[in-house]
Amino acid sequence: MRADRIFAYGAAAGLIGDMLLGDPRRGHPVAAFGRAAAGAENLLWRDHRGWGALHTLVCAGGATGAAALAARAVRNRPAAAVALTAAATWSVVGGTSLGREARAIGGALAAGDVELARERLPHLCGRDPQALDGPGIARAVVESVAENTSDAVVGALVWGALGGVPGLIGFRAVNTLDAMVGHRSPRHRRYGWASARLDDVVGWPGARLTAALAVAAGGRPREAVRAWRADAHRHPSPNAGPVEASFAGALGVRLGGTLAYGGRVEHRPVLNGGAGRDVQVTDIERAVRLSRRVSVLALAVCAAGRLARGRRAT
């Protein structure tokens, strides 16, 4: 069986597995990688970019290398290769868990339990929940659903199509490192620089595909394109900007504005401010459904692209 078909069958099986089962409650491979990366940080940490780059190389390079060895071990056994691709895809995508957390927070807000929503928000994003009221929490959830559709699903599928199992695992490793050390805390401002910059690079294609698919699947293509073109470049993140702007236009809401991370306040530009309205609790469900449609379309695009590349190579 050709490598392109192995990816197409395995990625489809893995994404279906995530939709049916979600993330494992115990023994999640990404959690195990996170523990190993935290241990490496304890050994390597210095307030220096070079040591942070070494941490990135050891962790992301080690995970990608191990995945390459595993793929090489099954390259002459098509069934095993499909199974490995499916397992890798299931372990690195997280669309179902993303939707469950978003809906849980939305349910709490709909019931008027803002305190419960604040308790659950850290499961979804790094915002300071005590600084947010109900509408602020709803906006944070929609923004997180948009950004994590790219980070937790589409980006992984793109790199899986490009690099097979090593691409899947490598992307998720880089993305996890960015979440761990890539923020601008005093401890990680220098040490996490390499992880943050590498995440910007590997996240670039997935973010653009996510934005394009949000335009196609959101039901408001003109508004989504307008918001993307007008506002994406104003966002401090080169990858979150297109995704959040296109989601804002597709949903007809305003995203961005003032937010707080760990006591640090940021004043971000408003996305789709001229045409959108304030986020409502009901928009959380709309965002989750859009995320699911984008994920399915991303699988179709990535599988088709990989199959087309395989046909050209024969």
Side-chain angles (χ1 to χ4, degrees), residues 33 58-68 169-170 173:
F33 171 81
V58 168
C59 295
T64 305
I169 300 299

Side-chain angles (χ1 to χ4, degrees), residues 102-121 129-130 132-135 137-138 141 281 284:
R103 284 170 168 148
I105 298 170
L109 291 175
D113 195 341
V114 177
E115 286 304 318
L116 178 58
R118 288 190 178 119
E119 289 178 11
R120 296 199 66 98
L121 187 62
Q130 299 306 317
L132 298 173
D133 57 8
I137 293 173
V141 171
V281 174
I284 293 176

Side-chain angles (χ1 to χ4, degrees), residues 30-83:
V30 175
F33 171 81
R35 289 191 294 270
E41 180 184 353
N42 290 335
L43 292 173
L44 296 174
W45 186 88
R46 306 287 189 282
D47 191 16
H48 191 276
R49 285 184 176 183
W51 285 94
L54 178 61
H55 178 245
T56 303
L57 177 63
V58 168
C59 295
T64 305
L69 290 175
R72 183 180 179 86
V74 298
R75 63 179 179 176
N76 295 321
R77 292 181 287 162
V82 170

